[in-house]
Amino acid sequence: MAPQQQTMAAAAIAALVAVLFLVAAVDGTQPGPPLPAPLRKYKTIHPGKRNQVLTCSEPTDHRKPCVATCPNRCPEECLVYCPTCTTYCLCGLYPGFTCGDPRFTGADGNNFYFHGKKGQNFCIVSDTGLHINAHFIGKHNPAMSRDFTWIQALGIRFAEHRLYMGAQKTVVWDNEVDRLELTFDGKLIGIPDEINGQWQSTTVPALTVTRTSEANGVSVELKGAFEILARVVPITDEDSRIHSYGVTEDDSLAHFDLGFKFYDLTDDVHGVLGQTYSTNYVNKLSVSANMPIMGGGPRYVSSNIFATYCKVARFVRQAGISMITTRAS
C-alpha cells in the first residue's frame, strides 16, 4: 500500500474508532465525555411528551424552536442541549453525575456506588472554599446487609452562606406538581413556574437558580465556582419491582438525580465525589466489577446537612471562593 493510502486508511480507522466511542458513550455502555457547558443551557423534556417543541434560546436570538426526541435509552425524559438541539439521558454516566441508589461517575470517568445509610448526611465534596453534604433517605431490605439509599437533599456551604436543595416527601407522585424546596441563608427561594424562570440572589448576584422544566427541575449556578443540574424523581412501581426496593403507598421516596460541574476546585479537594477531581486521585476501586463500591463511609459522615467537619473536611470559610460571591453574573 502506498504511503498516502496508508495515511488515509489510518485516518479512516481513527475516525471510525472515535465514532464508535461516541456511540457507545451515548448508548451508556461506557462513561461519556463531560457534557458541554454551561449546564444552565439544558432543558428537560417531560415524561410522556416525546417530540416536544422547546424554545431553547433567548428570545432575542431569533432562533427557530428546537424539536427534540429523547434517546431510546430514556424515551420518556431527557436533557436537551439547546445550542445544538442534542439530547442526553440525565443519568448517562457523564463525569460529575449521580443518580439512583446513588451511582456516581467520577471526574476520571469511572462509575462507582456509595450506599451510605438512610437518615445520615455525607460529605460528597469538601474543598477550601466549597463544601457539599448530601442527606440520604432509604429503605431497609431485611435480606441485605445494607439499606437502599438515595440523595434527598444537598446542603451547600460557601463563604458565610448556606444553600439548601431538597426533594419534599411525597406520598402520591405527580410529575406536574413541583416538589423542590430551595432556601438560601434560611429564606425560601421562589422561582417562576416556567421553563427559564430564574431567581437571582440580591446579596450574592453571582448565584442564580433557573428552571429547566416547569416542575422539579433546576440548574443552580454560582458563577465561576459551580453548576448543579438537579431533577426530583420518585421510585416508580416498576423500579421497585425490578430492584426489590419494597416501596409502599405511603412514600414515593422522592429524591434527586444530579449533575455537577466545578470551576474553582483546588487539588486538595476531597469527599465521596470531590476526591476524583484531584490530580493526585488514585482509583483503587475494581472498575471491572459490575458494581464498584466506594467504602469508608464513616470518613464522610457529617452530623447535619450543613456541618463541615467530616473526617475528610477541607472547608475554610474565608477561602478564595468568597471573592466570587461579590461578582455579578
Side-chain angles (χ1 to χ4, degrees):
M1 184 181 293
Q4 184 177 5
Q5 290 177 314
Q6 290 178 333
T7 300
M8 293 176 64
I13 291 172
L16 178 59
V17 170
V19 169
L20 290 175
F21 178 83
L22 179 60
V23 169
V26 172
D27 190 50
T29 56
Q30 58 179 298
L35 291 179
L39 294 180
R40 66 177 177 275
K41 288 189 175 291
Y42 290 86
K43 310 305 172 192
T44 303
I45 293 181
H46 297 281
K49 297 182 180 178
R50 300 192 65 179
N51 299 317
Q52 182 180 7
V53 177
L54 296 176
T55 303
C56 271
S57 58
E58 297 296 329
T60 55
D61 290 343
H62 303 295
R63 291 185 181 181
K64 292 182 179 180
C66 172
V67 181
T69 303
C70 289
N72 291 335
R73 194 161 47 84
C74 50
E76 295 186 346
E77 181 179 25
C78 63
L79 302 175
V80 183
Y81 181 54
C82 299
T84 59
C85 203
T86 307
T87 55
Y88 301 86
C89 296
L90 175 58
C91 297
L93 309 185
Y94 303 104
F97 277 60
T98 175
C99 295
D101 182 11
R103 181 198 68 210
F104 291 84
T105 302
D108 60 351
N110 288 309
N111 304 303
F112 62 90
Y113 287 82
F114 180 79
H115 298 305
K117 191 173 183 180
K118 67 177 181 179
Q120 291 192 350
N121 305 284
F122 296 89
C123 307
I124 59 172
V125 177
S126 189
D127 200 14
T128 54
L130 177 67
H131 188 95
I132 303 176
N133 285 338
H135 179 75
F136 283 39
I137 56 172
K139 196 76 176 175
H140 182 64
N141 184 336
M144 299 177 63
S145 60
R146 68 171 184 88
D147 298 328
F148 292 118
T149 54
W150 300 271
I151 294 177
Q152 178 268 331
L154 295 179
I156 304 167
R157 297 283 303 272
F158 57 91
E160 300 289 338
H161 302 290
R162 301 183 178 206
L163 175 64
Y164 174 83
M165 303 171 58
Q168 297 174 341
K169 183 175 180 178
T170 306
V171 176
V172 179
W173 181 261
D174 183 341
N175 288 313
E176 307 300 322
V177 178
D178 195 38
R179 304 304 295 162
L180 272 166
E181 181 179 350
L182 302 167
T183 67
F184 183 57
D185 290 339
K187 297 180 180 179
L188 284 173
I189 293 175
I191 319 168
D193 296 331
E194 59 186 11
I195 295 178
N196 292 326
Q198 187 177 83
W199 169 90
Q200 182 175 27
S201 171
T202 55
T203 55
V204 183
L207 179 65
T208 57
V209 181
T210 305
R211 284 201 185 273
T212 57
S213 58
E214 292 178 357
N216 299 309
V218 293
S219 173
V220 179
E221 179 180 16
L222 180 61
K223 192 164 185 175
F226 65 79
E227 289 182 276
I228 302 173
L229 196 63
R231 177 75 175 156
V232 180
V233 295
I235 295 298
T236 65
D237 291 340
E238 182 70 2
D239 291 334
S240 184
R241 183 186 66 80
I242 293 173
H243 300 287
S244 300
Y245 288 145
V247 172
T248 54
E249 295 181 354
D250 63 338
D251 191 354
S252 63
L253 294 171
H255 62 280
F256 278 125
D257 285 338
L258 298 158
F260 296 92
K261 198 167 187 68
F262 301 104
Y263 299 100
D264 197 41
L265 296 177
T266 72
D267 219 27
D268 194 41
V269 64
H270 215 298
V272 175
L273 175 65
Q275 62 190 303
T276 68
Y277 286 83
S278 172
T279 57
N280 299 319
Y281 175 67
V282 177
N283 187 347
K284 298 180 181 179
L285 305 176
S286 176
V287 295
S288 61
N290 289 332
M291 289 182 60
I293 297 174
M294 179 174 288
R299 303 175 67 206
Y300 308 106
V301 173
S302 285
S303 60
N304 64 68
I305 194 69
F306 287 118
T308 59
Y309 39 82
C310 61
K311 291 183 179 179
V312 299
R314 302 290 193 266
F315 185 67
V316 180
R317 209 172 282 181
Q318 296 299 329
I321 201 171
S322 63
M323 299 298 293
I324 295 172
T325 65
T326 62
R327 303 172 192 165
S329 60

